[in-house]
Amino acid sequence: MPAEIRKEHLLFPFFVPFFFFVFVQNVFCIIKILVEVKQITHHSMMEILKTIDYPQFRELFFASSKDEAMNAYLKKVLA
């Protein structure tokens, strides 16, 4: 047992719950922010497909695509 017990050692157990509470509160704030960011930036696939400029998509996609099977399928679907 230590010969000298300092006041800081006696207060330590009381600070642990406070710091844990602050940590949990910050985590919840971060989660709330991320949920709001997802609501703003996340769009369903149908919304994305409706906004594609298909003539420009064809031009850019087929110019850079190297997968012949995918090219054949998309040409059939976009025809």
Side-chain angles (χ1 to χ4, degrees), residues 53-65 78:
D53 178 18
Y54 285 101
Q56 184 180 12
F57 171 78
R58 284 187 188 106
E59 177 185 325
L60 296 174
F61 179 81
F62 293 121
S64 62
S65 176
L78 294 174

Side-chain angles (χ1 to χ4, degrees), residues 6-70:
R6 297 191 334 216
K7 209 171 20 173
E8 296 87 31
H9 293 146
L10 295 174
L11 292 176
F12 179 74
F14 298 107
F15 287 123
V16 172
F18 172 74
F19 289 125
F20 181 74
F21 172 76
V22 170
F23 172 75
V24 169
Q25 189 176 20
N26 287 337
V27 168
F28 282 129
C29 288
I30 291 169
I31 291 172
K32 182 179 176 186
I33 290 169
L34 291 175
V35 166
E36 291 177 13
V37 167
K38 182 181 177 188
Q39 289 174 347
I40 293 169
T41 60
H42 181 74
H43 300 286
S44 71
M45 187 55 79
M46 289 304 296
E47 290 176 26
I48 293 169
L49 289 173
K50 289 177 184 177
T51 61
I52 292 176
D53 178 18
Y54 285 101
Q56 184 180 12
F57 171 78
R58 284 187 188 106
E59 177 185 325
L60 296 174
F61 179 81
F62 293 121
S64 62
S65 176
K66 295 177 177 126
D67 187 348
E68 294 301 323
M70 187 184 303

